[in-house]
Coordinates of all heavy atoms in Angstrom, one line a residue:
M1391 N 10.2 -114.2 -108.3 CA 9.9 -113.7 -109.7 C 9.8 -114.9 -110.6 O 10.4 -115.9 -110.4 CB 11.0 -112.9 -110.2 CG 10.8 -111.4 -109.9 SD 11.9 -110.4 -110.9 CE 13.1 -110.0 -109.5
T1392 N 9.0 -114.8 -111.5 CA 8.8 -115.9 -112.5 C 9.9 -115.9 -113.5 O 10.5 -114.8 -113.8 CB 7.5 -115.7 -113.2 OG1 7.5 -114.6 -114.0 CG2 6.3 -115.6 -112.3
P1393 N 10.1 -117.0 -114.2 CA 11.2 -117.0 -115.2 C 10.9 -116.1 -116.3 O 11.8 -115.5 -116.9 CB 11.2 -118.5 -115.7 CG 10.6 -119.3 -114.6 CD 9.7 -118.3 -113.9
L1394 N 9.6 -115.8 -116.7 CA 9.3 -114.9 -117.7 C 9.7 -113.5 -117.4 O 10.3 -112.8 -118.2 CB 7.8 -115.0 -118.0 CG 7.2 -114.1 -119.1 CD1 7.9 -114.4 -120.5 CD2 5.8 -114.2 -119.3
L1395 N 9.4 -113.1 -116.1 CA 9.8 -111.7 -115.7 C 11.3 -111.6 -115.6 O 11.8 -110.6 -116.0 CB 9.2 -111.5 -114.3 CG 7.8 -111.1 -114.3 CD1 7.3 -110.9 -112.8 CD2 7.5 -109.8 -115.0
N1396 N 12.0 -112.6 -115.2 CA 13.4 -112.6 -115.2 C 14.0 -112.4 -116.6 O 14.9 -111.6 -116.8 CB 14.0 -113.9 -114.6 CG 13.9 -113.9 -113.1 OD1 13.9 -112.9 -112.5 ND2 13.8 -115.1 -112.6
R1397 N 13.4 -113.0 -117.6 CA 13.9 -112.8 -118.9 C 13.6 -111.4 -119.4 O 14.4 -110.8 -120.1 CB 13.3 -113.9 -119.9 CG 13.9 -115.3 -119.7 CD 13.6 -116.2 -120.9 NE 12.2 -116.1 -121.4 CZ 11.2 -116.9 -121.1 NH1 11.4 -117.9 -120.3 NH2 10.0 -116.8 -121.7
L1398 N 12.4 -110.9 -119.1 CA 12.0 -109.6 -119.5 C 12.9 -108.5 -118.9 O 13.4 -107.6 -119.6 CB 10.6 -109.3 -119.0 CG 10.1 -107.9 -119.2 CD1 9.9 -107.6 -120.7 CD2 8.8 -107.6 -118.5
Y1399 N 13.3 -108.7 -117.6 CA 14.1 -107.7 -117.0 C 15.6 -107.7 -117.6 O 16.3 -106.7 -117.4 CB 14.2 -108.0 -115.4 CG 12.9 -107.7 -114.8 CD1 12.7 -108.4 -113.6 CD2 12.0 -106.8 -115.2 CE1 11.5 -108.2 -112.9 CE2 10.8 -106.6 -114.5 CZ 10.6 -107.3 -113.4 OH 9.4 -107.1 -112.7
K1400 N 16.0 -108.7 -118.3 CA 17.3 -108.8 -118.9 C 17.3 -108.3 -120.3 O 18.4 -108.3 -120.9 CB 17.8 -110.2 -118.8 CG 18.1 -110.7 -117.3 CD 18.5 -112.1 -117.3 CE 18.7 -112.5 -115.8 NZ 19.1 -113.9 -115.7
T1401 N 16.2 -108.0 -120.8 CA 16.1 -107.6 -122.2 C 16.8 -106.2 -122.4 O 16.8 -105.4 -121.5 CB 14.7 -107.5 -122.8 OG1 14.0 -106.5 -122.1 CG2 14.1 -108.9 -122.8
E1402 N 17.3 -105.9 -123.6 CA 17.9 -104.7 -123.9 C 16.9 -103.5 -123.8 O 17.2 -102.4 -123.2 CB 18.5 -104.7 -125.3 CG 19.4 -103.5 -125.6 CD 20.0 -103.7 -127.0 OE1 20.5 -104.8 -127.3 OE2 20.0 -102.7 -127.7
A1403 N 15.7 -103.8 -124.2 CA 14.6 -102.8 -124.2 C 14.3 -102.4 -122.7 O 14.1 -101.2 -122.4 CB 13.4 -103.3 -124.9
F1404 N 14.2 -103.3 -121.8 CA 13.9 -103.1 -120.4 C 15.1 -102.3 -119.8 O 14.8 -101.4 -119.0 CB 13.6 -104.3 -119.6 CG 13.1 -104.1 -118.3 CD1 11.8 -103.7 -118.0 CD2 14.0 -104.1 -117.2 CE1 11.4 -103.4 -116.8 CE2 13.5 -103.8 -115.9 CZ 12.2 -103.5 -115.7
V1405 N 16.3 -102.7 -120.0 CA 17.4 -102.0 -119.5 C 17.5 -100.5 -119.9 O 17.7 -99.6 -119.2 CB 18.7 -102.7 -119.8 CG1 20.0 -101.9 -119.4 CG2 18.8 -104.1 -119.1
K1406 N 17.2 -100.3 -121.2 CA 17.1 -99.0 -121.8 C 16.0 -98.2 -121.1 O 16.2 -97.0 -120.8 CB 16.9 -99.0 -123.3 CG 16.9 -97.6 -123.9 CD 16.6 -97.7 -125.4 CE 16.6 -96.3 -126.0 NZ 16.1 -95.2 -125.3
L1407 N 14.8 -98.8 -120.9 CA 13.7 -98.1 -120.2 C 14.2 -97.7 -118.8 O 13.9 -96.6 -118.4 CB 12.5 -99.0 -120.2 CG 11.3 -98.5 -119.4 CD1 10.7 -97.3 -120.1 CD2 10.3 -99.6 -119.2
Q1408 N 14.8 -98.6 -118.1 CA 15.3 -98.3 -116.7 C 16.2 -97.1 -116.7 O 16.2 -96.2 -115.9 CB 15.9 -99.5 -116.1 CG 14.9 -100.6 -115.8 CD 14.0 -100.2 -114.7 OE1 12.9 -99.7 -115.0 NE2 14.3 -100.5 -113.5
N1409 N 17.2 -97.1 -117.7 CA 18.2 -96.1 -117.7 C 17.5 -94.7 -118.1 O 17.9 -93.7 -117.6 CB 19.3 -96.4 -118.7 CG 20.2 -97.6 -118.2 OD1 20.3 -97.8 -117.0 ND2 20.8 -98.3 -119.1
D1410 N 16.6 -94.8 -119.1 CA 15.9 -93.6 -119.5 C 15.1 -93.0 -118.3 O 15.1 -91.7 -118.1 CB 15.0 -93.8 -120.7 CG 15.8 -94.1 -121.9 OD1 17.0 -93.9 -122.0 OD2 15.1 -94.6 -122.9
N1411 N 14.4 -93.8 -117.6 CA 13.7 -93.4 -116.4 C 14.6 -92.7 -115.4 O 14.3 -91.7 -114.8 CB 12.9 -94.5 -115.8 CG 11.6 -94.8 -116.6 OD1 11.2 -94.0 -117.4 ND2 11.1 -96.0 -116.3
K1412 N 15.7 -93.4 -115.1 CA 16.7 -92.8 -114.2 C 17.1 -91.4 -114.6 O 17.2 -90.5 -113.8 CB 17.8 -93.8 -113.9 CG 18.8 -93.3 -112.9 CD 19.9 -94.3 -112.7 CE 20.9 -93.8 -111.6 NZ 21.1 -92.5 -111.3
A1413 N 17.5 -91.3 -115.9 CA 17.9 -90.0 -116.4 C 16.9 -88.9 -116.2 O 17.2 -87.8 -115.9 CB 18.4 -90.2 -117.9
I1414 N 15.7 -89.3 -116.5 CA 14.6 -88.3 -116.3 C 14.5 -87.8 -114.8 O 14.4 -86.7 -114.5 CB 13.2 -88.8 -116.8 CG1 13.3 -89.0 -118.3 CG2 12.1 -87.9 -116.4 CD1 12.1 -89.8 -118.9
F1415 N 14.4 -88.8 -114.0 CA 14.3 -88.5 -112.5 C 15.5 -87.7 -112.0 O 15.4 -86.8 -111.2 CB 14.0 -89.7 -111.7 CG 12.6 -90.2 -111.8 CD1 12.2 -91.3 -112.6 CD2 11.6 -89.5 -111.1 CE1 10.9 -91.7 -112.7 CE2 10.3 -89.9 -111.2 CZ 9.9 -91.0 -112.0
D1416 N 16.7 -88.1 -112.4 CA 17.9 -87.4 -112.0 C 17.9 -85.9 -112.5 O 18.3 -85.0 -111.8 CB 19.2 -88.1 -112.6 CG 19.4 -89.4 -111.8 OD1 18.8 -89.7 -110.8 OD2 20.3 -90.1 -112.4
S1417 N 17.4 -85.7 -113.7 CA 17.3 -84.4 -114.3 C 16.3 -83.5 -113.5 O 16.6 -82.4 -113.2 CB 16.9 -84.5 -115.8 OG 16.6 -83.2 -116.3
V1418 N 15.2 -84.1 -113.2 CA 14.2 -83.4 -112.4 C 14.7 -83.0 -111.0 O 14.5 -81.9 -110.5 CB 12.9 -84.2 -112.3 CG1 11.9 -83.6 -111.3 CG2 12.2 -84.3 -113.6
D1419 N 15.4 -84.0 -110.4 CA 16.0 -83.7 -109.1 C 17.0 -82.6 -109.1 O 16.9 -81.7 -108.3 CB 16.7 -85.0 -108.6 CG 17.2 -84.9 -107.2 OD1 16.4 -84.5 -106.3 OD2 18.3 -85.3 -106.9
V1420 N 17.8 -82.5 -110.1 CA 18.8 -81.4 -110.2 C 18.1 -80.1 -110.4 O 18.4 -79.1 -109.8 CB 19.8 -81.7 -111.4 CG1 20.6 -80.4 -111.7 CG2 20.7 -82.8 -111.0
R1421 N 17.1 -80.1 -111.3 CA 16.3 -78.9 -111.6 C 15.6 -78.3 -110.4 O 15.5 -77.1 -110.1 CB 15.4 -79.0 -112.8 CG 16.1 -79.2 -114.1 CD 15.2 -79.5 -115.2 NE 16.0 -79.9 -116.4 CZ 15.8 -79.4 -117.6 NH1 14.8 -78.6 -117.8 NH2 16.5 -79.8 -118.6
M1422 N 15.0 -79.3 -109.6 CA 14.2 -78.8 -108.4 C 15.2 -78.3 -107.4 O 14.9 -77.3 -106.7 CB 13.4 -80.0 -107.8 CG 12.2 -80.4 -108.6 SD 11.2 -79.0 -109.1 CE 10.9 -78.2 -107.6
K1423 N 16.3 -78.9 -107.2 CA 17.3 -78.4 -106.2 C 17.8 -77.0 -106.7 O 18.0 -76.1 -105.8 CB 18.5 -79.3 -106.1 CG 18.2 -80.6 -105.3 CD 19.3 -81.5 -105.3 CE 18.9 -82.8 -104.6 NZ 20.0 -83.8 -104.6
D1424 N 18.0 -76.8 -108.0 CA 18.5 -75.5 -108.5 C 17.4 -74.5 -108.3 O 17.7 -73.3 -107.9 CB 18.8 -75.6 -110.0 CG 20.1 -76.4 -110.2 OD1 20.9 -76.6 -109.3 OD2 20.3 -76.7 -111.4
L1425 N 16.1 -74.9 -108.5 CA 15.0 -73.9 -108.3 C 14.9 -73.5 -106.8 O 14.7 -72.3 -106.5 CB 13.7 -74.5 -108.8 CG 12.4 -73.7 -108.6 CD1 12.5 -72.4 -109.4 CD2 11.2 -74.5 -109.0
I1426 N 15.0 -74.5 -106.0 CA 14.9 -74.2 -104.5 C 16.0 -73.3 -104.1 O 15.8 -72.2 -103.4 CB 14.9 -75.5 -103.7 CG1 13.6 -76.3 -103.9 CG2 15.1 -75.3 -102.2 CD1 13.6 -77.7 -103.5
L1427 N 17.3 -73.6 -104.5 CA 18.4 -72.8 -104.1 C 18.4 -71.4 -104.7 O 18.9 -70.4 -104.2 CB 19.7 -73.5 -104.3 CG 19.9 -74.7 -103.4 CD1 21.2 -75.4 -103.7 CD2 19.9 -74.3 -101.9
A1428 N 17.8 -71.3 -105.9 CA 17.6 -70.0 -106.6 C 16.7 -69.0 -105.8 O 16.8 -67.8 -106.0 CB 17.1 -70.1 -108.0
N1429 N 16.0 -69.6 -104.9 CA 15.0 -68.8 -104.1 C 15.4 -68.9 -102.6 O 14.5 -68.8 -101.7 CB 13.6 -69.4 -104.3 CG 13.1 -69.0 -105.7 OD1 12.7 -67.9 -105.9 ND2 13.1 -70.0 -106.6
K1430 N 16.7 -69.1 -102.3 CA 17.1 -69.3 -100.9 C 17.0 -68.0 -100.1 O 17.2 -68.1 -98.9 CB 18.5 -69.9 -100.9 CG 19.6 -69.0 -101.4 CD 20.9 -69.8 -101.4 CE 22.0 -68.9 -102.0 NZ 23.2 -69.7 -102.1
K1431 N 16.8 -66.9 -100.7 CA 16.7 -65.6 -99.9 C 15.3 -65.2 -99.5 O 15.2 -64.3 -98.7 CB 17.3 -64.4 -100.8 CG 18.8 -64.6 -101.0 CD 19.3 -63.4 -101.8 CE 20.8 -63.6 -102.1 NZ 21.4 -62.6 -102.8
T1432 N 14.3 -66.0 -99.9 CA 13.0 -65.6 -99.6 C 12.2 -66.9 -99.1 O 12.7 -68.0 -99.2 CB 12.2 -65.1 -100.8 OG1 12.0 -66.1 -101.8 CG2 13.0 -63.9 -101.4
W1433 N 10.9 -66.7 -98.7 CA 10.1 -67.8 -98.2 C 9.9 -68.8 -99.3 O 9.5 -69.9 -99.1 CB 8.8 -67.3 -97.7 CG 7.9 -66.5 -98.7 CD1 7.9 -65.2 -99.0 CD2 6.9 -67.1 -99.5 NE1 7.0 -64.9 -99.9 CE2 6.4 -66.1 -100.3 CE3 6.4 -68.4 -99.7 CZ2 5.3 -66.3 -101.2 CZ3 5.4 -68.7 -100.6 CH2 4.9 -67.6 -101.3
W1434 N 10.0 -68.4 -100.6 CA 9.8 -69.4 -101.7 C 10.7 -70.6 -101.6 O 10.3 -71.7 -102.0 CB 10.0 -68.7 -103.0 CG 8.9 -67.9 -103.5 CD1 8.7 -66.5 -103.5 CD2 7.7 -68.4 -104.1 NE1 7.5 -66.2 -103.9 CE2 6.8 -67.3 -104.3 CE3 7.2 -69.7 -104.3 CZ2 5.6 -67.5 -104.9 CZ3 5.9 -69.8 -104.9 CH2 5.2 -68.7 -105.1
G1435 N 12.0 -70.5 -101.2 CA 12.8 -71.6 -101.1 C 12.3 -72.7 -100.1 O 12.1 -73.8 -100.6
P1436 N 12.0 -72.3 -98.9 CA 11.4 -73.3 -98.0 C 10.0 -73.9 -98.5 O 9.8 -75.0 -98.3 CB 11.2 -72.6 -96.6 CG 12.2 -71.5 -96.7 CD 12.3 -71.1 -98.2
F1437 N 9.2 -73.0 -99.0 CA 7.9 -73.4 -99.6 C 8.1 -74.5 -100.7 O 7.5 -75.5 -100.6 CB 7.2 -72.2 -100.1 CG 5.9 -72.6 -100.8 CD1 4.8 -72.9 -100.2 CD2 5.9 -72.6 -102.2 CE1 3.6 -73.2 -100.8 CE2 4.7 -73.0 -102.9 CZ 3.6 -73.3 -102.2
L1438 N 9.0 -74.2 -101.6 CA 9.2 -75.1 -102.7 C 9.8 -76.4 -102.2 O 9.5 -77.5 -102.7 CB 10.2 -74.5 -103.8 CG 9.6 -73.4 -104.6 CD1 10.7 -72.6 -105.4 CD2 8.5 -73.9 -105.5
M1439 N 10.7 -76.4 -101.2 CA 11.3 -77.5 -100.7 C 10.2 -78.5 -100.0 O 10.2 -79.7 -100.2 CB 12.4 -77.2 -99.7 CG 13.3 -78.2 -99.3 SD 14.7 -77.5 -98.4 CE 15.6 -79.0 -98.0
M1440 N 9.3 -77.8 -99.3 CA 8.3 -78.6 -98.6 C 7.3 -79.2 -99.7 O 6.8 -80.3 -99.5 CB 7.5 -77.7 -97.7 CG 8.3 -77.4 -96.4 SD 7.3 -76.6 -95.2 CE 6.2 -77.9 -94.7
D1441 N 7.1 -78.4 -100.8 CA 6.1 -78.8 -101.7 C 6.7 -79.9 -102.7 O 5.9 -80.8 -103.0 CB 5.7 -77.6 -102.6 CG 4.6 -77.9 -103.6 OD1 3.5 -78.4 -103.2 OD2 4.9 -77.8 -104.8
Q1442 N 7.9 -79.9 -102.9 CA 8.5 -80.8 -103.9 C 9.2 -82.0 -103.4 O 9.5 -82.9 -104.1 CB 9.4 -80.0 -104.9 CG 8.7 -78.9 -105.7 CD 7.7 -79.5 -106.6 OE1 7.9 -80.5 -107.3 NE2 6.5 -78.9 -106.6
M1443 N 9.6 -81.9 -102.1 CA 10.4 -83.0 -101.5 C 9.5 -83.7 -100.5 O 8.8 -83.1 -99.7 CB 11.6 -82.5 -100.9 CG 12.6 -81.9 -101.9 SD 14.1 -81.4 -101.1 CE 15.1 -81.1 -102.6
Y1444 N 9.6 -85.0 -100.4 CA 8.8 -85.8 -99.5 C 9.6 -86.3 -98.3 O 9.2 -86.1 -97.2 CB 8.2 -87.0 -100.2 CG 7.3 -87.8 -99.3 CD1 6.0 -87.3 -98.9 CD2 7.7 -88.9 -98.7 CE1 5.2 -87.9 -98.0 CE2 6.8 -89.6 -97.8 CZ 5.6 -89.1 -97.4 OH 4.9 -89.8 -96.6
D1445 N 10.7 -86.9 -98.6 CA 11.6 -87.5 -97.5 C 12.8 -86.6 -97.3 O 13.5 -86.4 -98.2 CB 12.0 -88.9 -97.9 CG 12.7 -89.6 -96.8 OD1 12.4 -89.4 -95.6 OD2 13.5 -90.5 -97.1
F1446 N 13.0 -86.1 -96.1 CA 14.1 -85.2 -95.8 C 15.2 -86.0 -95.2 O 15.0 -86.9 -94.4 CB 13.6 -84.1 -94.9 CG 12.6 -83.2 -95.5 CD1 11.3 -83.1 -94.9 CD2 12.8 -82.5 -96.7 CE1 10.3 -82.3 -95.5 CE2 11.8 -81.8 -97.2 CZ 10.6 -81.7 -96.6
S1447 N 16.4 -85.7 -95.6 CA 17.6 -86.3 -95.1 C 18.7 -85.2 -94.7 O 18.3 -84.0 -94.7 CB 18.3 -87.2 -96.2 OG 18.7 -86.4 -97.3
E1448 N 19.9 -85.6 -94.4 CA 20.9 -84.7 -94.1 C 21.2 -83.7 -95.3 O 21.5 -82.6 -95.0 CB 22.2 -85.4 -93.7 CG 22.2 -86.1 -92.4 CD 21.9 -85.2 -91.3 OE1 22.5 -84.1 -91.2 OE2 21.0 -85.5 -90.4
E1449 N 21.1 -84.2 -96.5 CA 21.3 -83.3 -97.6 C 20.3 -82.1 -97.6 O 20.7 -81.0 -97.9 CB 21.0 -84.1 -99.0 CG 21.3 -83.3 -100.2 CD 21.1 -84.1 -101.5 OE1 20.8 -85.3 -101.4 OE2 21.2 -83.5 -102.5
Q1450 N 19.1 -82.4 -97.2 CA 18.1 -81.3 -97.2 C 18.4 -80.3 -96.0 O 18.2 -79.1 -96.1 CB 16.7 -81.8 -97.1 CG 16.2 -82.3 -98.4 CD 16.8 -83.6 -98.8 OE1 17.0 -84.5 -98.0 NE2 17.1 -83.8 -100.1
K1451 N 19.0 -80.9 -94.9 CA 19.3 -80.0 -93.8 C 20.5 -79.1 -94.2 O 20.5 -77.9 -93.9 CB 19.8 -80.8 -92.6 CG 18.6 -81.5 -91.9 CD 19.1 -82.3 -90.7 CE 17.9 -83.0 -90.0 NZ 18.3 -83.8 -88.8
I1452 N 21.4 -79.6 -95.0 CA 22.5 -78.7 -95.6 C 21.9 -77.6 -96.5 O 22.3 -76.5 -96.4 CB 23.5 -79.6 -96.3 CG1 24.2 -80.5 -95.3 CG2 24.5 -78.7 -97.1 CD1 25.1 -81.6 -95.9
M1453 N 20.9 -78.0 -97.3 CA 20.2 -77.0 -98.2 C 19.5 -76.0 -97.3 O 19.6 -74.8 -97.6 CB 19.2 -77.7 -99.1 CG 19.8 -78.4 -100.3 SD 18.5 -79.3 -101.3 CE 17.7 -78.0 -102.0
F1454 N 18.9 -76.4 -96.2 CA 18.2 -75.5 -95.4 C 19.2 -74.5 -94.8 O 18.9 -73.3 -94.7 CB 17.5 -76.2 -94.3 CG 16.7 -75.3 -93.3 CD1 15.5 -74.8 -93.7 CD2 17.2 -74.9 -92.1 CE1 14.8 -74.0 -92.8 CE2 16.5 -74.1 -91.3 CZ 15.3 -73.6 -91.6
D1455 N 20.3 -74.9 -94.4 CA 21.4 -74.0 -93.9 C 21.8 -73.0 -94.9 O 22.3 -71.9 -94.5 CB 22.6 -74.8 -93.4 CG 22.3 -75.6 -92.1 OD1 21.3 -75.3 -91.4 OD2 23.0 -76.6 -91.9
E1456 N 21.6 -73.2 -96.2 CA 22.0 -72.3 -97.2 C 21.0 -71.2 -97.3 O 21.3 -70.1 -98.0 CB 22.2 -73.0 -98.5 CG 23.4 -73.9 -98.5 CD 23.7 -74.5 -99.9 OE1 23.6 -73.7 -101.0 OE2 23.9 -75.7 -100.0
F1457 N 19.8 -71.3 -96.8 CA 18.8 -70.3 -96.9 C 19.2 -69.1 -96.0 O 19.8 -69.3 -95.0 CB 17.4 -70.8 -96.4 CG 16.7 -71.9 -97.2 CD1 15.9 -72.8 -96.7 CD2 16.9 -71.9 -98.6 CE1 15.3 -73.7 -97.4 CE2 16.3 -72.8 -99.4 CZ 15.5 -73.7 -98.8
S1458 N 18.7 -67.9 -96.5 CA 19.0 -66.7 -95.7 C 18.2 -66.8 -94.4 O 17.3 -67.6 -94.2 CB 18.5 -65.5 -96.5 OG 17.1 -65.5 -96.6
S1459 N 18.6 -66.0 -93.4 CA 17.9 -66.0 -92.1 C 16.5 -65.6 -92.3 O 15.6 -66.1 -91.7 CB 18.7 -65.1 -91.1 OG 18.8 -63.8 -91.6
K1460 N 16.3 -64.7 -93.3 CA 14.9 -64.2 -93.6 C 14.1 -65.4 -94.0 O 12.9 -65.6 -93.6 CB 15.0 -63.1 -94.7 CG 13.6 -62.6 -95.1 CD 13.8 -61.6 -96.2 CE 12.4 -61.1 -96.7 NZ 12.5 -60.1 -97.7
A1461 N 14.6 -66.3 -94.9 CA 13.9 -67.4 -95.4 C 13.7 -68.4 -94.3 O 12.6 -69.0 -94.2 CB 14.7 -68.1 -96.6
Q1462 N 14.7 -68.7 -93.5 CA 14.6 -69.6 -92.4 C 13.5 -69.2 -91.4 O 12.9 -70.0 -90.8 CB 16.0 -69.8 -91.7 CG 16.9 -70.6 -92.6 CD 18.2 -70.9 -91.8 OE1 18.4 -70.6 -90.7 NE2 19.2 -71.3 -92.6
E1463 N 13.4 -67.9 -91.1 CA 12.5 -67.4 -90.1 C 11.1 -67.1 -90.7 O 10.2 -66.7 -90.0 CB 13.0 -66.1 -89.5 CG 14.3 -66.4 -88.6 CD 14.0 -67.4 -87.5 OE1 13.0 -67.4 -86.8 OE2 14.8 -68.3 -87.3
S1464 N 10.9 -67.4 -92.0 CA 9.6 -67.2 -92.6 C 8.6 -68.3 -92.1 O 9.1 -69.2 -91.5 CB 9.7 -67.2 -94.1 OG 10.0 -68.5 -94.6
Y1465 N 7.4 -68.1 -92.4 CA 6.4 -69.1 -92.0 C 6.8 -70.5 -92.5 O 6.8 -71.4 -91.8 CB 5.0 -68.7 -92.5 CG 3.9 -69.7 -92.3 CD1 3.3 -69.8 -91.1 CD2 3.5 -70.5 -93.4 CE1 2.4 -70.8 -90.9 CE2 2.5 -71.4 -93.2 CZ 1.9 -71.6 -91.9 OH 0.9 -72.5 -91.7
Y1466 N 7.1 -70.6 -93.8 CA 7.4 -71.9 -94.4 C 8.8 -72.3 -93.9 O 9.1 -73.5 -93.8 CB 7.4 -71.8 -95.9 CG 5.9 -71.7 -96.4 CD1 5.4 -70.5 -96.9 CD2 5.1 -72.8 -96.3 CE1 4.1 -70.4 -97.3 CE2 3.8 -72.7 -96.7 CZ 3.3 -71.5 -97.2 OH 2.0 -71.4 -97.6
G1467 N 9.7 -71.4 -93.6 CA 11.0 -71.8 -93.1 C 10.9 -72.5 -91.7 O 11.5 -73.5 -91.5
K1468 N 10.0 -71.9 -90.9 CA 9.8 -72.5 -89.6 C 9.1 -73.9 -89.7 O 9.5 -74.8 -89.0 CB 9.0 -71.6 -88.7 CG 9.7 -70.4 -88.3 CD 8.8 -69.4 -87.6 CE 9.5 -68.1 -87.2 NZ 8.6 -67.1 -86.5
L1469 N 8.2 -74.0 -90.6 CA 7.5 -75.3 -90.9 C 8.5 -76.3 -91.4 O 8.5 -77.5 -90.9 CB 6.3 -75.2 -91.8 CG 5.1 -74.4 -91.4 CD1 4.1 -74.3 -92.5 CD2 4.5 -75.0 -90.2
L1470 N 9.3 -75.9 -92.3 CA 10.4 -76.8 -92.9 C 11.4 -77.2 -91.8 O 11.7 -78.4 -91.8 CB 11.1 -76.1 -94.1 CG 12.2 -76.9 -94.7 CD1 11.7 -78.3 -95.3 CD2 12.8 -76.1 -95.8
K1471 N 11.8 -76.3 -91.0 CA 12.7 -76.6 -89.9 C 12.1 -77.7 -89.0 O 12.9 -78.7 -88.6 CB 13.1 -75.4 -89.1 CG 14.2 -75.6 -88.1 CD 14.6 -74.4 -87.4 CE 15.7 -74.6 -86.4 NZ 16.2 -73.4 -85.8
T1472 N 10.9 -77.6 -88.7 CA 10.2 -78.6 -87.9 C 10.2 -80.0 -88.6 O 10.5 -81.0 -88.0 CB 8.7 -78.2 -87.6 OG1 8.8 -77.0 -86.9 CG2 8.0 -79.3 -86.8
E1473 N 9.9 -80.0 -89.9 CA 9.9 -81.2 -90.7 C 11.3 -81.9 -90.8 O 11.5 -83.0 -90.7 CB 9.4 -81.0 -92.1 CG 8.0 -80.7 -92.2 CD 7.1 -81.8 -91.8 OE1 7.5 -83.0 -92.0 OE2 6.0 -81.6 -91.2
L1474 N 12.3 -81.0 -90.9 CA 13.7 -81.5 -91.1 C 14.2 -82.2 -89.7 O 15.0 -83.1 -89.8 CB 14.6 -80.4 -91.4 CG 14.5 -79.9 -92.9 CD1 15.3 -78.6 -93.0 CD2 14.9 -80.9 -93.9
N1475 N 13.6 -81.7 -88.7 CA 14.0 -82.2 -87.3 C 13.1 -83.3 -86.8 O 13.2 -83.7 -85.6 CB 14.2 -81.1 -86.3 CG 15.3 -80.2 -86.7 OD1 16.4 -80.7 -87.1 ND2 15.1 -78.9 -86.8
T1476 N 12.1 -83.7 -87.6 CA 11.2 -84.7 -87.2 C 11.9 -86.1 -87.4 O 12.6 -86.3 -88.3 CB 9.9 -84.7 -88.0 OG1 9.3 -83.4 -87.9 CG2 8.9 -85.7 -87.7
Q1477 N 11.6 -87.0 -86.5 CA 12.1 -88.4 -86.5 C 11.9 -89.0 -87.9 O 10.8 -88.9 -88.5 CB 11.5 -89.2 -85.5 CG 12.4 -89.6 -84.4 CD 11.7 -90.5 -83.4 OE1 10.5 -90.6 -83.3 NE2 12.5 -91.3 -82.7
K1478 N 12.9 -89.7 -88.4 CA 12.7 -90.4 -89.7 C 11.6 -91.5 -89.5 O 11.5 -92.1 -88.4 CB 14.0 -91.1 -90.1 CG 14.9 -90.1 -90.9 CD 15.6 -91.0 -91.9 CE 16.1 -90.3 -93.1 NZ 15.3 -89.9 -94.1
G1479 N 11.0 -91.8 -90.6 CA 10.0 -92.9 -90.5 C 8.6 -92.4 -90.2 O 7.6 -93.1 -90.4
K1480 N 8.5 -91.2 -89.8 CA 7.1 -90.6 -89.5 C 6.5 -90.1 -90.8 O 7.3 -89.7 -91.7 CB 7.2 -89.5 -88.5 CG 7.5 -90.0 -87.0 CD 7.3 -88.8 -86.1 CE 7.5 -89.3 -84.7 NZ 7.4 -88.2 -83.7
T1481 N 5.3 -90.1 -90.9 CA 4.6 -89.5 -92.0 C 4.7 -88.0 -92.1 O 4.6 -87.4 -91.1 CB 3.1 -89.9 -92.0 OG1 3.0 -91.3 -91.9 CG2 2.4 -89.4 -93.3
K1482 N 5.0 -87.5 -93.2 CA 5.2 -86.0 -93.4 C 3.8 -85.3 -93.1 O 2.8 -85.8 -93.5 CB 5.6 -85.7 -94.8 CG 5.8 -84.2 -95.1 CD 6.2 -84.0 -96.5 CE 6.3 -82.5 -96.8 NZ 6.6 -82.2 -98.2
T1483 N 4.0 -84.2 -92.3 CA 2.8 -83.4 -92.0 C 2.4 -82.6 -93.2 O 3.3 -82.0 -93.8 CB 3.1 -82.5 -90.8 OG1 3.6 -83.3 -89.7 CG2 1.9 -81.7 -90.3
H1484 N 1.2 -82.5 -93.5 CA 0.7 -81.6 -94.6 C 0.1 -80.4 -94.0 O -0.8 -80.5 -93.2 CB -0.3 -82.4 -95.4 CG 0.3 -83.6 -96.1 ND1 1.1 -83.5 -97.3 CD2 0.3 -84.9 -95.8 CE1 1.5 -84.7 -97.6 NE2 1.1 -85.6 -96.8
Y1485 N 0.6 -79.2 -94.5 CA 0.1 -78.0 -94.0 C -0.8 -77.3 -95.0 O -0.5 -77.4 -96.2 CB 1.2 -77.1 -93.6 CG 2.1 -77.6 -92.5 CD1 3.3 -78.3 -92.8 CD2 1.7 -77.4 -91.2 CE1 4.1 -78.8 -91.7 CE2 2.5 -77.9 -90.1 CZ 3.7 -78.6 -90.5 OH 4.5 -79.0 -89.4
I1486 N -1.8 -76.6 -94.6 CA -2.6 -75.8 -95.5 C -2.4 -74.4 -95.1 O -2.7 -74.0 -93.9 CB -4.1 -76.3 -95.4 CG1 -4.2 -77.7 -95.8 CG2 -5.0 -75.3 -96.3 CD1 -5.6 -78.3 -95.6
A1487 N -2.0 -73.6 -96.0 CA -1.7 -72.2 -95.7 C -2.9 -71.4 -95.9 O -3.8 -71.6 -96.7 CB -0.6 -71.7 -96.6

């Protein structure tokens, strides 16, 4: 990094911008998880999870386990289960319904 960029990154305005951006993304993350889990009894939960999340981790596997058996066995539930069990580092498969 250049000295000019180093100075910019240390400014109060840049730090505030970073904190504001983090707050926005954290808020969206919480709302999306709430929306997904609010639909855990139907195919909407797995569908929303596939649509809104890109990288799946253990946290998403735990969320998947909270879905009803009806949701897990739905078309999107089966696709999501496959994605959750795909090796890390692979590109996410895009499905067209």
